[in-house]
Amino acid sequence: MNYQVILPAAGQGKRMGAGKNKLLLKIGEMPVFIHTIKVFENDPDCTGIILAINSQDEQEMSVLLKEHNITKVDAMVEGGKERQHSVYNAAKTIAGDGVVLVHDAARPFVGQELIRPLVKTAEEKGSAVLAVPLKDTVKKADGNLVAETLERSGLWAVQTPQAFRISVLLEAHRRALEEKYLGTDDASLVERLGKEVVIVEGNYDNIKLTTPEDLYFAEAIIKKREKQK
Ligand code: CTP
Ligand code: MG
């Protein structure tokens, strides 16, 4: 089942503290965003990649795309102030009404085997997200005083990719912009429309590289995968 993918890559990587976009840091042999792009470059069902980038990274990223023989990037659009704006800038360039995935360029370890069920679910139901059951107990607090312990059994840590029929994603973003709503993921914008979002269970390797210690986990995942080859 064919799909296109939007990769928001226009962040600053502030929490990584590397002094540049964390996506340009090397893990294993390649920069983070090249690992991520290769998942889609190598998936025959992916018909095109739209990258949202910072203008300051454009030249370096373009050179790296060439060096790694990436052929599926159809467009590089300017990112926005927040991730949501970057995704919308990319979504606006997509025509048709197939399925589009939104995937953080900072999640290089998404398993190809999970993409197919995710796309299929979005095609049938409109929206689907990858998620894993929470491992930690989550408490709500007022300042540092615990107010409530949430029942863990119904809680999921939601990841990307998130998959949508293109019309659903566009409507959700348009509405959020009109109503000045800023969400932390794309599915939350769809939820606001009262539409169903289906959870597809993913795995714990699909981490987002956010803070420096995530780089150790990344190296460990790469080593594990090399051994499995
Ligand atoms: N992103 C984006 N546009 C923004 C902000 C983020 O395209 N204005 C992208 C990032 O490049 C990343 C993904 O959204 O691939 C998830 O964001 P996050 O992990 O928060 O990355 P950064 O915003 O770069 O990191 P930080 O918040 O620590 O600055
Ligand atoms: Mg951010």
Side-chain angles (χ1 to χ4, degrees):
M1 204 163 287
N2 287 350
Y3 66 89
Q4 298 176 74
V5 64
I6 292 170
L7 299 177
Q12 302 288 331
K14 286 197 187 119
R15 286 169 288 176
M16 190 59 78
K20 62 172 177 179
N21 190 341
K22 63 190 177 186
L23 302 175
L24 293 165
L25 298 176
K26 260 194 182 172
I27 50 171
E29 305 283 295
M30 301 184 293
V32 171
F33 84 106
I34 296 290
H35 281 274
T36 312
I37 287 180
K38 283 210 165 194
V39 174
F40 299 99
E41 178 77 17
N42 296 333
D43 181 354
D45 289 349
C46 177
T47 59
I49 301 168
I50 299 122
L51 271 181
I53 60 158
N54 279 315
S55 49
Q56 79 230 34
D57 295 331
E58 183 171 1
Q59 211 197 338
E60 192 173 351
M61 285 187 167
S62 300
V63 168
L64 286 163
L65 290 173
K66 267 214 188 98
E67 255 176 48
H68 291 276
N69 301 315
I70 304 298
T71 60
K72 283 192 191 169
V73 174
D74 286 336
M76 287 165 87
V77 304
E78 179 77 27
K81 187 165 173 286
E82 302 292 338
R83 178 189 179 283
Q84 184 174 314
H85 306 130
S86 301
V87 172
Y88 187 42
N89 286 352
K92 281 189 289 194
T93 70
I94 299 182
D97 196 21
V99 168
V100 61
L101 258 57
V102 182
H103 182 60
D104 292 325
R107 286 187 196 266
F109 303 118
V110 55
Q112 233 160 30
E113 74 288 353
L114 292 171
I115 294 175
R116 197 167 302 209
L118 190 76
V119 171
K120 188 166 184 284
T121 308
E123 167 130 319
E124 286 166 10
K125 305 282 185 186
S127 306
V129 298
L130 274 193
V132 287
L134 265 196
K135 297 184 197 180
D136 294 317
T137 295
V138 178
K139 295 185 193 290
K140 244 183 140 166
D142 263 333
N144 65 354
L145 259 197
V146 171
E148 189 190 347
T149 300
L150 302 178
E151 171 64 40
R152 191 175 57 198
S153 62
L155 295 178
W156 293 81
V158 175
Q159 309 170 334
T160 68
Q162 302 192 343
F164 308 95
R165 278 204 291 270
I166 292 165
S167 57
V168 173
L169 181 70
L170 280 172
E171 187 192 351
H173 271 270
R174 257 185 237 122
R175 185 81 77 82
L177 191 70
E178 261 168 41
E179 295 170 4
K180 297 189 170 52
Y181 176 83
L182 209 54
T184 52
D185 72 349
D186 300 283
S188 63
L189 313 186
V190 172
E191 293 156 35
R192 291 181 78 243
L193 302 180
K195 290 186 194 286
E196 281 181 345
V197 176
V198 181
I199 288 178
V200 173
E201 185 161 355
N203 64 53
Y204 293 99
D205 273 7
N206 185 22
I207 57 170
K208 182 160 72 70
L209 304 186
T210 306
T211 54
E213 56 277 9
D214 293 327
L215 298 175
Y216 311 142
F217 301 133
E219 294 292 346
I221 292 169
I222 288 173
K223 280 213 184 87
K224 177 185 81 168
R225 291 189 174 182
E226 270 165 10
K227 270 194 213 143
Q228 286 169 344
K229 268 184 193 162

